[in-house]
């Protein structure tokens, strides 16, 4: 497992984003609140395919994280969460949970289903997360690595990978996981 302090700091920041009730732990309820933000931000019905896909991706991610803790009380404190995120992000199996979240979030953003995310689609997502528009536009430009004014699935997933593994603590790929 990586011992890179920048990656540990990044996951600690993610812990702060997810601990929406301030109880100093992350639970499925915290992830559910994030999913609810997506669903309401997009005006989706809870049973809509895009809503179900994002929920399923986060459920798989949560099960993977919770499975790294021996005592199954359904709570991860900061240290446990950081260790579990490091282990989950470094998983090289065919079903990497972190990348599955990136794939599901891409599908959520790609409202017109054309296989790419426009800046307008990205701004809807940013608004659902509570991000300011100027910062969201800057992140979009960083994720759009080929400068074609669209973010492809490959660019989006790569931004998530860079967030998980890269040296840049301010990686725009944190957006994939709800970091604004």
């Amino acid at each position: 497992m990586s011992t890179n302090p920048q990656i540990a700091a990044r996951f600690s920041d993610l812990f702060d984003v997810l601990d929406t009730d301030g109880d100093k732990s992350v639970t499925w309820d915290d992830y559910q609140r994030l999913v609810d933000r997506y669903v309401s931000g997009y005006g989706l019905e809870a049973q809509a395919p895009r809503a179900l896909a994002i929920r399923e991706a986060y459920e798989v991610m949560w099960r993977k994280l919770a499975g790294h803790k021996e005592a199954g009380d359904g709570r991860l404190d900061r240290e446990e969460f950081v260790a579990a995120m490091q282990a989950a992000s470094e998983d090289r199996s065919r079903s990497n949970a972190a990348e599955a979240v990136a794939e599901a979030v891409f599908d959520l953003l790609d409202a017109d289903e054309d296989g790419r995310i426009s800046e307008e689609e990205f701004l809807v997502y940013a608004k659902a997360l509570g991000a300011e528009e100027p910062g969201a536009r800057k992140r979009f430009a960083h994720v759009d690595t080929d400068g074609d004014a669209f973010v492809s699935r490959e660019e989006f997933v790569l931004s998530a990978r860079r967030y998980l593994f890269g040296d840049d603590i301010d990686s725009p790929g944190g957006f994939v996981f709800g970091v604004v």
Side-chain angles (χ1 to χ4, degrees), residues 70-91:
E70 288 188 29
D73 65 355
R75 309 180 84 67
L76 296 173
D77 65 22
R78 182 180 304 275
E79 184 178 313
E80 293 164 336
F81 177 81
V82 169
M85 272 302 295
Q86 287 176 322
S89 66
E90 292 175 354
D91 176 8

Side-chain angles (χ1 to χ4, degrees), residues 88-135:
S89 66
E90 292 175 354
D91 176 8
R92 292 286 151 234
S93 68
R94 289 182 340 154
S95 59
N96 180 292
E99 288 186 14
V101 167
E103 295 277 354
V105 172
F106 180 90
D107 291 338
L108 178 71
L109 272 69
D110 184 18
D112 62 7
E113 299 179 354
D114 66 352
R116 58 191 189 167
I117 300 168
S118 68
E119 187 173 43
E120 292 75 29
E121 289 170 321
F122 193 83
L123 292 175
V124 170
Y125 178 66
K127 183 177 179 181
L129 290 176
E132 298 292 325
E133 186 174 323

